[in-house]
Amino acid sequence: ALQHVNEGNGSVVPELSRSGPNALQFVPKPIGIVRADVASAIRGYESIRDRIDGFVDGAASRTNVHVAQLGALDGVPQLSYYSSAPELSCDVQYTHFGRSYVSDKISSSVLAEQLAGYGWQHYGVLHVRDEWAVGYQEHLAQNAFRLGLTQFSGSWTESNAAEIREAVQMMRDIGVNIIVSLSFEVDLLPLLSSAEDEGLLADNFVWIIIEGSGSAANLGTNPEATRLMAGMLSFEANPVPAFGFQRLARLWSSLGPDDCTRAGAGGIFDVPPSVFSSPPTQYAAFAYDAVAGLAMGMRASDNPHRGTDVLSSLARVSFDGASGPVAFDARLDRNASGLIFTFSRFFTETADWPRQRLVADTETADCSTEPASPEPVSCKRLAPRICKILPGEAAAVDWEAVETVPLLFRDGSATPPEDALLAREREREAERRQQRRLIILLTSVFGALLLLFVALTYRASLSVRNFKRREIAAKQVLEAIRGVHRLDHPCVLLPARAFLRMGSLREHEALRAEGQLLFYDSPRQLADKHVVFFSHQWLSFGTPDPLGVQYRVMAASLRRVIADTGWEEANVQVWVDLASIPQSKPLLKQLAVQTIACYCAAAHAFVICAPTTIHADTGEVCNVQSYQRRMWCRCEQLCHVLRKGTGTMWCATTEDDCRRLGELDSEWLMSVLRVFEGDVTDEGDYLSIVLPILGLYAELYALELKRRAQAVPWQSSPAAAAEAALCQVGSEERRAQTLQLVLNEIRGAKRGEIFPPKLRMSAQRLPH
């Protein structure tokens, strides 16, 4: 490279010929071997620092973190063809450092994309703890996170076999089968031996050795290393497919040791002739481009002895180099455009392998075991498979000179092995799905059984509730029927003469104190009496007759009834609510209300007192129509009609107008039957008449059932006889229709129609 620069020879880099020879001559100054420790680095650099304007190196990153700082202090430009640590891109510590090699920041990004492209989501990184390996795995982890991959890392101190084994065992315990190795040759054999012991070299494992070609070259004659590395992959920036590398390779085969002496490099290298009998390594291409690049930068600068001028011009240099298109960014890092990355597979070959060939025959290349030959074997790389060409220089690949073959893995297949952790996750997910299905099935069965149990339990409880409800209803009906034949509260009557002398309606307590009331404890005691029952609506909230209008109509109608019936006045007694029901004792009042059916049924005359007047509190008109809307009025009418019919009913609207009702029309009768649709002042009054009404309905229905059971003709049945006594007016056919109307209303009533839902009665739909 130095000879071509001085001669202006463009056989490898065409741009060198454009400046011509002797424009600026360069003299090599050897630095020597610089080890990683700071003292050796300083001694090597200081041995030539005063005699150079710039230098090229092939030192490792851990060495250049020291040397590059010294060059920055002295202002000496530096181009490296081997150091790849991203740390060296820092423009604060390493101001004069550049490189023709590829930064690991770019390489790790490409590798992460390739791992994701194979469908692998989990992988492990085994690395030595030095600047290069640590920086690479950190940038790889960042790119993995960006792509949704998971990285596991294990590390060791260089040459520490115990830590190497611990790192390998950690990978075994994690269960990854995709492993990236960042190791020096000194640790590679202990690493692979430990991996074999832990079962990490099986066919389903993928080992990717970063920049593994150097390791293969140095360990290729070691039979154990050859055996262990067979089938592994090397990943690196590879200039072999580039046009510039083909130009370098053609030149390389024509060179010999004397060419190095003529180039002024005598004494720097110990070069045996065998070096030129095989193609150059990829590092030769990067080294050639480092020399050419630094020389072109110096030639283009205003002052090649001033480092800042050289750096400024170097940032503008670009050429078609031996490693592909070469250009530098502002930090003097190799521009990513046109870089080629490859996967190569290690295999075993015999010593007479045709080393000059770039591409191995696919049949002989895939040798997973050592051939049965007495000749020594070495580990070589299969022809590289280009996995990535960074955008910008697609034409940089000499496709005619380079033949790529399918990438084969350890099992000899071109199909990438499955990510073991991902497969295990899928298996666990399949097991979880199966468990969920089983749980759903068991839950469904259990739920069905539970629903069945609940349904059966509910049905049983419903049957019990229905039985209890029927039992309660039966008791209520029985109690109601008994109630219409007994007096829970004495029937309190007022002699007709006393009633006519009162002058107005008076309360029960006052009349009782005066001794004017008569008390009867049994319905039989009323058999020989003539009882007149007055039914009326109250004309105010506090007193039934504040103006005495109703009393005057009652007194007149009482005289009319006595006159029409021919009863003796001395044997006539009056029932009127204010006088006959206790007003100051709620319990006694309730007992009297519950017995109202007996009072109405015992009455020999039922007088409706409904004069037209005004309600004292509401101002509404009170008359026959308003009377008929009142619940209490309907109740009293129904209780009398169901026992005595309508023949004993009168309606008085004035003192001069008191007439018999005769046969009720259907509209009147229907309103009477709909007792609980009547108006009340206190909603609680509905409850107080439930049992009396229920008892009368049940009694009437029992009569009808008895008539049907005996198959007695209507005219001679007990029900007909009862109806004849109840309905004194009208034809026999009409009387039958009246009873039938009542029965049909009861039988056809749905629950809540006769007894509203708020009463929560157990009225059943009666059978036809």
Side-chain angles (χ1 to χ4, degrees):
L2 186 60
Q3 179 181 342
H4 287 178
V5 167
N6 288 330
E7 295 175 353
N9 187 337
S11 59
V12 177
V13 177
E15 287 81 358
L16 290 178
S17 63
R18 297 172 188 171
S19 60
N22 303 318
L24 183 65
Q25 295 295 301
F26 297 91
V27 178
K29 297 294 182 181
I31 297 177
I33 299 174
V34 180
R35 288 185 291 273
D37 60 281
V38 178
S40 296
I42 292 175
R43 283 195 299 271
Y45 172 75
E46 287 186 343
S47 67
I48 52 95
R49 61 184 296 183
D50 297 330
R51 297 178 289 144
I52 60 174
D53 295 306
F55 65 98
V56 171
D57 76 273
S61 297
R62 57 178 174 172
T63 300
N64 264 331
V65 295
H66 306 300
V67 175
Q69 290 189 64
L70 298 176
L73 292 174
D74 292 333
V76 179
Q78 171 188 2
L79 274 184
S80 175
Y81 59 86
Y82 189 73
S83 297
S84 58
E87 178 186 353
L88 291 168
S89 299
C90 177
D91 57 2
V92 176
Q93 285 180 284
Y94 311 107
T95 57
H96 286 62
F97 176 84
R99 49 189 158 198
S100 62
Y101 197 63
V102 184
S103 169
D104 290 336
K105 183 177 182 180
I106 299 174
S107 175
S108 61
S109 175
V110 175
L111 178 59
E113 292 176 358
Q114 295 306 305
L115 295 176
Y118 283 124
W120 299 327
Q121 295 185 14
H122 309 84
Y123 66 92
V125 177
L126 291 171
H127 67 91
V128 64
R129 286 193 290 271
D130 93 314
E131 287 78 358
W132 162 68
V134 172
Y136 196 105
Q137 73 88 20
E138 288 178 351
H139 280 80
L140 182 61
Q142 294 173 8
N143 287 286
F145 178 79
R146 174 176 56 86
L147 297 172
L149 309 183
T150 302
Q151 173 177 305
F152 304 94
S153 297
S155 63
W156 64 89
T157 305
E158 185 177 356
S159 302
N160 191 322
E163 291 185 6
I164 291 175
R165 181 167 295 277
E166 289 178 2
V168 171
Q169 290 174 345
M170 183 184 71
M171 290 298 157
R172 177 205 61 192
D173 296 339
I174 293 174
V176 292
N177 66 324
I178 313 299
I179 299 175
V180 176
S181 170
L182 294 159
S183 173
F184 299 124
E185 291 83 356
V186 66
D187 292 330
L188 189 58
L189 187 58
L191 173 65
L192 298 183
S193 298
S194 297
E196 184 178 43
D197 294 342
E198 301 299 334
L200 303 188
L201 297 185
D203 286 347
N204 66 317
F205 279 79
V206 177
W207 279 76
I208 301 173
I209 301 176
I210 304 302
E211 301 178 4
S213 58
S215 300
N218 295 329
L219 298 175
T221 58
N222 186 320
E224 182 66 7
T226 298
R227 181 182 68 83
L228 294 175
M229 291 177 66
M232 292 185 177
L233 304 179
S234 174
F235 176 79
E236 55 209 327
N238 194 344
V240 173
F243 281 108
F245 190 87
Q246 304 305 319
R247 295 193 296 267
L248 176 63
R250 287 192 295 270
L251 173 68
W252 190 265
S253 62
S254 66
L255 298 178
D258 293 341
D259 293 291
C260 292
T261 303
R262 287 196 300 271
I268 301 178
F269 307 110
D270 181 12
V271 185
S274 59
V275 169
F276 302 100
S277 63
S278 60
T281 68
Q282 68 266 38
Y283 299 109
F286 290 115
Y288 190 103
D289 288 342
V291 173
L294 183 58
M296 294 172 70
M298 286 183 171
R299 282 182 173 177
S301 66
D302 295 334
N303 184 353
H305 305 293
R306 184 183 297 120
T308 55
D309 288 355
V310 174
L311 294 176
S312 178
S313 61
L314 188 59
R316 297 189 298 271
V317 167
S318 63
F319 57 92
D320 184 10
S323 61
V326 178
F328 303 95
D329 61 19
R331 270 295 310 120
L332 299 184
D333 271 342
R334 174 75 175 265
N335 194 300
S337 177
L339 288 174
I340 302 171
F341 291 86
T342 62
F343 275 120
S344 301
R345 182 172 182 266
F346 294 109
F347 67 100
T348 56
E349 64 174 18
T350 58
D352 61 351
W353 177 258
R355 301 174 65 87
Q356 72 276 10
R357 293 186 59 189
L358 290 176
V359 180
D361 185 81
T362 55
E363 293 182 359
T364 58
D366 187 21
C367 300
S368 57
T369 59
E370 298 179 8
S373 169
E375 301 180 60
V377 297
S378 61
C379 188
K380 297 299 177 185
R381 289 180 297 123
L382 186 67
R385 177 179 183 273
I386 297 177
C387 65
K388 186 74 172 179
I389 303 177
L390 295 183
E393 298 291 344
V397 177
D398 186 357
W399 296 105
E400 294 181 358
V402 178
E403 177 187 357
T404 60
V405 296
L407 182 65
L408 302 179
F409 296 91
R410 290 184 67 84
D411 60 357
S413 170
T415 303
E418 187 176 14
D419 183 339
L421 285 181
L422 184 60
R424 197 171 301 124
E425 287 181 2
R426 289 171 179 166
E427 292 175 0
R428 286 197 292 265
E429 180 60 27
E431 292 176 358
R432 286 193 292 268
R433 284 197 299 269
Q434 184 66 23
Q435 291 174 354
R436 285 196 295 268
R437 285 195 290 267
L438 181 60
I439 291 174
I440 292 173
L441 177 61
L442 294 177
T443 303
S444 301
V445 173
F446 177 77
L449 294 175
L450 181 61
L451 288 176
L452 179 61
F453 173 76
V454 171
L456 293 176
T457 303
Y458 176 76
R459 184 174 180 180
S461 64
L462 189 62
S463 299
V464 172
R465 288 198 300 270
N466 288 338
F467 174 78
K468 291 182 178 179
R469 188 182 295 114
R470 287 194 296 270
E471 186 178 22
I472 293 173
K475 290 180 179 179
Q476 287 179 329
V477 172
L478 181 60
E479 180 65 21
I481 293 174
R482 290 173 179 173
V484 299
H485 294 283
R486 70 168 186 263
L487 298 179
D488 291 331
H489 184 275
C491 181
V492 181
L493 302 176
L494 184 65
R497 291 178 179 176
F499 180 81
L500 294 174
R501 289 196 304 267
M502 284 195 309
S504 64
L505 295 179
R506 298 178 61 192
E507 291 188 354
H508 172 87
E509 285 75 14
L511 294 173
R512 184 183 61 187
E514 295 174 1
Q516 298 190 44
L517 299 178
L518 301 175
F519 295 83
Y520 298 93
D521 298 324
S522 171
R524 290 192 298 272
Q525 295 177 325
L526 302 174
D528 58 344
K529 304 292 188 297
H530 300 298
V531 179
V532 177
F533 188 99
F534 283 109
S535 177
H536 67 106
Q537 65 182 116
W538 283 38
L539 300 181
S540 73
F541 295 145
T543 179
D545 188 24
L547 301 179
V549 176
Q550 290 189 341
Y551 173 77
R552 291 191 292 273
V553 174
M554 289 179 184
S557 60
L558 179 59
R559 295 186 183 94
R560 174 66 181 275
V561 169
I562 292 174
D564 286 353
T565 58
W567 295 336
E568 294 183 5
E569 184 179 294
N571 202 30
V572 176
Q573 298 177 2
V574 175
W575 191 98
V576 62
D577 54 2
L578 187 64
S580 300
I581 295 177
Q583 301 298 316
S584 61
K585 301 295 183 181
L587 182 59
L588 294 177
K589 183 177 182 179
Q590 179 63 28
L591 290 174
V593 170
Q594 291 178 359
T595 318
I596 198 169
C598 284
Y599 301 157
C600 297
H604 299 84
F606 187 92
V607 180
I608 297 172
C609 181
T612 301
T613 183
I614 301 298
H615 194 280
D617 294 316
T618 65
E620 296 178 353
V621 176
C622 297
N623 51 25
V624 174
Q625 288 75 25
S626 64
Y627 167 87
Q628 193 64 10
R629 291 195 300 269
R630 301 296 296 174
M631 184 271 287
W632 279 111
C633 299
R634 291 185 180 188
C635 174
E636 292 166 353
Q637 291 179 81
L638 183 65
C639 291
H640 184 79
V641 167
L642 291 179
R643 281 291 187 86
K644 297 295 182 67
T646 60
T648 56
M649 295 182 67
W650 276 263
C651 181
T653 57
T654 65
E655 295 181 39
D656 298 327
D657 183 14
C658 181
R659 54 188 175 81
R660 287 179 182 270
L661 285 180
E663 184 178 0
L664 295 177
D665 58 32
S666 60
E667 183 178 354
W668 186 294
L669 183 59
M670 288 301 294
S671 67
V672 170
L673 286 171
R674 303 277 184 176
V675 175
F676 293 99
E677 293 181 4
D679 299 334
V680 292
T681 303
D682 184 358
E683 292 286 333
D685 290 348
Y686 285 121
L687 295 173
S688 62
I689 65 169
V690 168
L691 287 180
I693 299 300
L694 183 62
L696 289 172
Y697 279 150
E699 183 181 74
L700 184 62
Y701 188 66
L703 290 174
E704 172 64 6
L705 292 179
K706 182 177 181 182
R707 179 189 69 78
R708 292 187 179 186
Q710 294 176 350
V712 179
W714 174 262
Q715 291 81 1
S716 59
S717 68
E723 175 64 8
L726 296 176
C727 304
Q728 299 298 326
V729 180
S731 65
E732 182 176 317
E733 181 181 1
R734 182 62 178 170
R735 291 197 301 272
Q737 291 176 350
T738 302
L739 178 60
Q740 192 65 36
L741 180 64
V742 174
L743 295 176
N744 288 342
E745 177 66 18
I746 297 173
R747 285 198 300 264
K750 296 180 181 178
R751 183 181 306 178
E753 288 187 350
I754 293 180
F755 300 102
K758 59 186 174 182
L759 298 178
R760 303 195 179 279
M761 292 301 298
S762 301
Q764 301 288 325
R765 184 187 177 104
L766 299 175
H768 287 273

